[in-house]
Amino acid sequence: MSNHLRSLFDPDSIAIIGCSPDSKKIGGRPLDYLLKYGYQGKIYPVNPNYQEIRGLTCYESITGIQEDVDLVVIALPQKLVLSTFHACIEKKVKAVVIFSAGFSEVGEAGKREQEKLAKLAKEHNIRVLGPNCLGLFHVSKGMYATFSTILEEEAPIQGGKIGFVSQSGAFGSHVFTLARQHQIGFSHFVATGNESDVDVADCIKYLAEDENTNVIACYLEGTTDGQKLIEALQLAKEKKKPIVIVKVGKTDVGMKAAMSHTGSMVGSDAVYDTIFKQYGVYRAHTINEFIDVAKAFSDLPVMTGNRVAVFTVSGGVGIMLADQVMENGLALPETPEDVQERLKEILPIAGVKNPLDTTAQVSYMPTLLEDFMDGVLGSGGYDAAIVFLGFSGLKAESLPTKLPSLLNMKEKFPHIPQIVVTLLNPTSEKMLSDAGLVVNEDPTRAVKMLAALYDLGRAKDQAPQPFQSEAKNESIKALYSISANELTEYTSKQVLGNYGIPVTKEKLAQSADEAADFADQIGYPVVLKGMSPQILHKTEKGLVLLYVQNPDEVREGFAKLKTIIEETDDATFEGVLVQEMQTEKAVEMFVGSKKDPVFGQMVLVGLGGIYIEVFQDVAMRKAPVSVETAREMIEELKSRAILQAFRGNAAFDGNALCELVSNFSYFIDTHRDELEEVDLNPAMVLMEGRGVKVVDALIKLI
């Protein structure tokens, strides 16, 4: 971790340029918060209009401070920022937070000023948060380099382990305040503003290494550096720091709004979704889900299985919870028979199958809840529990009687996540939170929290195994003496064959007699395809002849295809491809790539032929992928059943398809800077053990 980044997040000294004695002003709030919330480092107010502010010596300029300064906060009008930054360079400060607006968010002139700042920061190794940012704070250190009003009247919750980074200051403030109302604390809060230097990826990397953080929560509109973001996500995964992200800009309107807001490249939402899935990020779609899941990841153990026990005081809510548990991919196993018998002895009128209905008697029998939970969870058949207590949380006399039981069960089964569902007031919420219990008022949200914990438990490290090819990783154009950007099928398959991609047997003929000779060598029937660099979609022009049966038909077909090309304006005849006719039983699949402007090469797999466009049934990952990941991609397809054994029919060769997807993904990653798009369509998946063959392919270079 860079010391300069540490100076931003964890400084031992802070100078506030534009500091004000008025705690209601932008330049006064950071000082007020630092003093009010116990910052132990050195504070240096800087303002030529004062000699002292709130008992601290006030300096005319940053250069007048004799001691080293880790972090500088600039709270000045935009026109003064650049000259002030030069003074920071002279002082050799390590990090700067710039509140000032009026930069890239307002137009070209502001963008040029921001670019000057970024260039200076890079040249002098100064980390910059902002400009146009709300700042940041580090709760356990009492470090507040922010002018947000969310801290004016109420302190943050202490002891929180959630690191929160947001590209929107207003969104961040809203989430912070809502979380605080529910007794949820953060270790850090960062609003990145215009991201002239420090961006979301930098913040994720820092928080991944931070010992006070166990979960990273992030609001994201976009990024200009997809690879840097991926590296940050990978680091967090290695450090076992789960990430919860709200990513906005899903629709065209939303994407345009995000572009205008942060200036980040938004990219395809489907690609972002893929990246999150691939690197173990939980994507939340509402603020409640965002906060709930971050809380669950921070305060509850990961689920090792999907078996849920539901304890309820209401039969009706129990039914609703049962439905939602199943709908979210979790299971509701019936209580073991011997446990049911013991529970019936305790309360004959109870429902004991799961959901377990303790009825209202739970309010009159102090140990009833504990007896039921102990019996069920102690059976070893459950991985999580939801305890629905209705409106008990609103009754001062009711909750304390249940609290010991809940705490005993948490202590006895620390490996089993347990969520209490009850209505709350501020007093009861604080009571339960201080006791270390996870609570929610909504049964549906509680189930979502468990589903997220189960997903987290299933997330695997998927480090791809390198694929070794005999082909050299030279430029494709150089290797094959190509000038055009769009390659014919013949040239495309020559390239692919060198990377272990199984293609059909074929030869390019320049004459009718040569075509007939090639057909004899390959074996009938054959396919004839007219090759022209200017006509890449051959079927529409009648340039594909199937089931050609003998030499006379080959010669006749050659002449026909050559004539079509020669009669097409601006088309060049490259020859006729003589290709083996694929007659074995097979499933047509599509394997392809697309270069995303943010994240680079993405590999896709789906049902092939014309169906790729009809059904849009496609799975996608960032390349490269392992064979195991390729298998997961195929499992995601709605059409996956076509490949499997069904009603006496044998299965098709899914293993060979997985190997093809993986090998292909390494090819596109190796040539990531050259390839715009590659289509293998169709790739014929033969019967199990027979392999796969790419029948047609097109490569489009950048």
Side-chain angles (χ1 to χ4, degrees), residues 140-152:
S140 65
K141 194 179 181 79
M143 192 287 286
Y144 295 89
T146 179
F147 65 92
S148 174
T149 58
I150 57 178
L151 301 165
E152 276 188 337

Side-chain angles (χ1 to χ4, degrees), residues 306-322:
N306 70 341
R307 303 166 301 174
V308 180
V310 172
F311 303 91
T312 174
V313 297
S314 160
V317 173
I319 296 166
M320 185 184 78
L321 277 166

